Amino acid sequence: MKRPIIAATLIVCLVAWCVRYYKVNGGTFAVHYEGPSAVYGMHEMVSFGDNISNNALEQPGYSVSLESARMIDAEDYLKELGKKPEDFHFLSEKYLELTLTVANEGDYPKGLTFYALPVLGSNWFTYYDNEVTACINPFFEGDYDQAHACAVRTNTSTTVKIAYNLYERHFLPNQFKNLEHEKMWLSVTTLPVDQRIAFSCT
């Protein structure tokens, strides 16, 4: 009698874990790529080269360096920006703000696409917020539709800030409370070489 009860309990626990894992990862099960990888530190320039970034984007000639990272509550961020909640369509509870140096040594016409640069955690990931990103870069002049990429003239570089959403519902309770201590990586390319930049906000 005990064995069926134990087996049923294990099955329930496994299903609950799978559902939670699925929700934490934004409705997808994580896929682990076993190809070559390279992990860089902050202030190291990482070249896209012939590699492909997230969402199968090629950005030849471009390279990025992560200069700083900070995490901030949405309420404090809005005060800093002089904005109100109604100025945005969606607001997360926290934001991750990354400052990047973006360089271009090629002639790729479309520039660096922010959607190609997700932030990865140990069991989560997040993408940039175009509305907040438009507010923290003066050259976008608050235009949400334009805040999706950064074009840089050949043989020059520029500084850009990218804001990432951190929705509480995408994390485990204790994890969200201690996000500042989480291991994080900025994903630069995925194939054939998984290149990422390790950073922390502490």
Side-chain angles (χ1 to χ4, degrees):
M1 184 66 182
K2 289 183 178 179
R3 285 184 178 178
I5 293 174
I6 293 172
T9 302
L10 289 173
I11 291 171
V12 169
C13 290
L14 180 62
V15 170
W17 180 87
C18 287
V19 169
R20 182 59 185 162
Y21 187 82
Y22 184 79
K23 290 177 69 177
V24 165
N25 283 279
T28 59
F29 285 102
V31 176
H32 299 286
Y33 174 65
E34 297 297 335
S37 62
V39 178
Y40 300 85
M42 294 179 66
H43 312 295
E44 288 188 79
M45 193 62 77
V46 183
S47 174
F48 288 84
D50 295 326
N51 295 294
I52 297 173
S53 298
N54 186 63
N55 291 304
L57 291 170
E58 295 183 45
Q59 301 173 111
Y62 274 82
S63 56
V64 295
S65 172
L66 177 56
E67 308 301 342
S68 67
R70 67 171 181 148
M71 200 172 290
I72 185 169
D73 290 335
E75 185 177 347
D76 295 332
Y77 212 10
L78 293 182
K79 288 179 182 177
E80 186 178 301
L81 298 173
K83 297 288 184 179
K84 299 177 181 179
E86 54 267 30
D87 294 328
F88 303 93
H89 290 94
F90 304 99
L91 285 174
S92 55
E93 291 80 7
K94 292 178 182 285
Y95 283 88
L96 176 65
E97 183 187 276
L98 303 185
T99 301
L100 304 175
T101 296
V102 181
N104 179 20
E105 295 180 355
D107 55 4
Y108 182 65
K110 296 182 180 180
L112 175 69
T113 302
F114 301 154
Y115 198 61
L117 301 171
V119 169
L120 313 175
S122 57
N123 62 349
W124 56 271
F125 60 87
T126 186
Y127 288 98
Y128 87 106
D129 182 302
N130 67 310
E131 295 183 337
V132 178
T133 298
C135 295
I136 59 177
N137 293 283
F139 47 83
F140 289 129
E141 299 179 343
D143 188 339
Y144 299 163
D145 294 331
Q146 294 297 319
H148 63 85
C150 176
V152 181
R153 291 195 306 270
T154 303
N155 297 322
T156 64
S157 64
T158 191
T159 300
V160 65
K161 294 182 178 182
I162 306 178
Y164 291 82
N165 294 110
L166 296 171
Y167 290 102
E168 185 172 3
R169 65 180 181 271
H170 292 165
F171 298 89
L172 299 171
N174 291 333
Q175 187 178 36
F176 189 76
K177 293 176 183 178
N178 298 286
L179 274 182
E180 293 84 355
H181 304 290
E182 282 276 308
K183 291 182 178 179
M184 290 174 261
W185 298 267
L186 176 67
S187 175
V188 179
T189 65
T190 56
L191 295 169
V193 181
D194 179 348
Q195 295 186 113
R196 55 181 67 184
I197 300 172
F199 68 93
S200 66
C201 295
T202 56

